Each structure stands twice: as structure tokens, then as C-alpha cells.
Amino acid sequence: MFHGTITEELTNHEEWSHYNENVIQDHKDFVFVKFSGLHLKSMENLQSCISLRVCIFSNNFITDIRPLKSCIKLVKLDLHGNQIKSLPDTKFWSGLKHLKLLYLHDNGFAKLKNVCVLSACPSLLALTMFDCPVSLKKGYRHVLVNSMWPLKALDHHVISDEEIIQNWHLPERFRTYNCRLFFNFCPALKKGSTYEDEINNIKYVISKINEIMAHNSPVLIVQRWIRGFLVRKHLRLPY
């Protein structure tokens, strides 16, 4: 099973299809591909990568991501810095049942309606869309946060309870964009990162988001206190 960065001679999409027959046949076994800053315009060669879990295709000239439809095992998808202006329909996103981290910042998205198709992605925890025209739209964050139920972090900030529960005005510590909720979960790419590095990073990002929520979500804090109270009551322990 392939789990490393594909070497430079494979990154030129014209050479890809002629590299050698064995590699072409083994596309289905690839779990990690990293093509960043290579001026690529197409993702068609990934259609057969049905085992792909981590895909980094940042800083290219990609406009169409529909070839990823068969990559249903994706956990992390990094497409920032491309020329994508529209997203596939909800059927595409509902098929990516394992996708947790999606980086789409610095693209050409302009319409909130198109971006809302991401609500069909059942496990999406963290999303970036800053530096896209749509991020300047009034109500951009409110619409995305309240249309994607699994989402926990958007554009460098973990989502606050204040954003989800209407008309709930919280103390400064728990408010939207508070520094306690800041987390840069899409740092600059490291050269030579391996599949193991990426999987460890995914685990770290998810763990850190959950940790921030646990300490800065009044709802979770109250729930934790109530569970503790009920356990102590059941065990008849002192309060």
C-alpha cells in the first residue's frame, strides 16, 4: 500500500499516465498524495485512487474536483490556493463519509448557496474558506456554522455556543472570536511530510479542537458537571 509522497517525476500529469503500467494498476492502493505548487490543472488521475485518505492538491490551477467522487475514504482534503469557483452537489459530499478536515481557503467561491452543499458532508469537523470572496458576504460565518451540524471549527476559530444558540449573550471568555477559541489548524505545509506525519497531524488537530471546546463551551461544561453530579449521586460519593 502506498503511503508516501509521490516523487517528482510523477507530479507532471503528462508523464503520470506513461510512468509505468504497474504504478497505474496500483492507483487503487494509494492512501496519500501530495501535489502542491506544481501548476496542475486536473485531478482526473485520482479517479482510480479509491483508497485515498489524505489528498493535498494546494496551490495549483484546479477548477473541478469531481474526479474525487470515488475517493470515499478521504479524511483530509487540502485544496487551498486553487481556482475553484463552485463545488459539486450534495450527492458528492454525502459520499465522503469519513472527511473531517477540508481546506478550501484562497479559492474563487463567491456564492453562499453553492458553499452550503457542504452541509451534506456527515463528518466534517474543520473547514477553511477565508480569503475567498464568499467570506466577505454578510452572515457568511453564521450561515455556514448553522447549516453544517458536525462542524466544530471554521477559519482559525473553534465555533462558540453563542454562534449556535440564538440570542444567547455570553461573557467575553466564551464569545465568538475570543482568543481562547483561536486555533490555526491549517499551518504551512512541511516539506517531505509522510503519510504517518499527516495522520498524526489529523489526530492532533481533532484532539486540539475538542480540547478547546471542552474548556470554552458553557454547554459542554454544564453537561460535564451534570454527568459528574449524577455519577457521584449514584455512587453516593461526597459532593
Side-chain angles (χ1 to χ4, degrees), residues 2 27-35 43 46-57 64-79 88 92-104 118 120-126 195 198-199 202 206:
F2 184 92
H27 279 187
K28 60 181 173 52
D29 295 325
F30 287 0
V31 294
F32 175 35
V33 294
K34 183 180 178 182
F35 294 149
M43 304 185 79
L46 296 184
Q47 292 184 84
S48 58
C49 299
I50 58 176
S51 299
L52 196 61
R53 299 191 68 200
V54 178
C55 177
I56 300 175
F57 242 82
D64 182 11
I65 66 171
R66 285 175 297 178
L68 293 173
K69 183 178 179 179
S70 59
C71 304
I72 58 174
K73 295 183 180 180
L74 275 172
V75 177
K76 174 181 176 179
L77 177 58
D78 185 350
L79 296 169
F92 173 94
W93 296 104
S94 63
L96 301 182
K97 299 183 185 302
H98 304 285
L99 185 63
K100 298 184 183 299
L101 307 182
L102 178 60
Y103 302 156
L104 294 174
L118 293 173
C121 200
S123 303
L124 188 61
L125 299 179
Y195 175 66
E198 288 296 333
I199 291 299
I202 291 169
I206 295 173

Side-chain angles (χ1 to χ4, degrees), residues 2-24:
F2 184 92
H3 54 270
T5 305
I6 295 181
T7 50
E8 190 171 350
E9 62 263 35
L10 275 176
T11 59
N12 185 304
H13 58 288
E14 293 180 359
E15 295 177 9
W16 171 282
S17 60
H18 305 292
Y19 186 67
N20 79 42
E21 294 181 359
N22 291 331
V23 172
I24 299 301

Side-chain angles (χ1 to χ4, degrees), residues 174-210:
F174 303 112
R175 302 200 69 176
T176 307
Y177 293 126
N178 183 274
C179 61
R180 293 172 179 262
L181 296 172
F182 176 82
F183 177 37
N184 181 16
F185 54 88
C186 54
L189 296 174
K190 294 181 179 179
K191 291 185 178 180
S193 60
T194 65
Y195 175 66
E196 287 79 8
D197 294 333
E198 288 296 333
I199 291 299
N200 288 334
N201 178 256
I202 291 169
K203 292 177 180 178
Y204 168 75
V205 168
I206 295 173
S207 175
K208 187 66 176 179
I209 290 173
N210 289 333

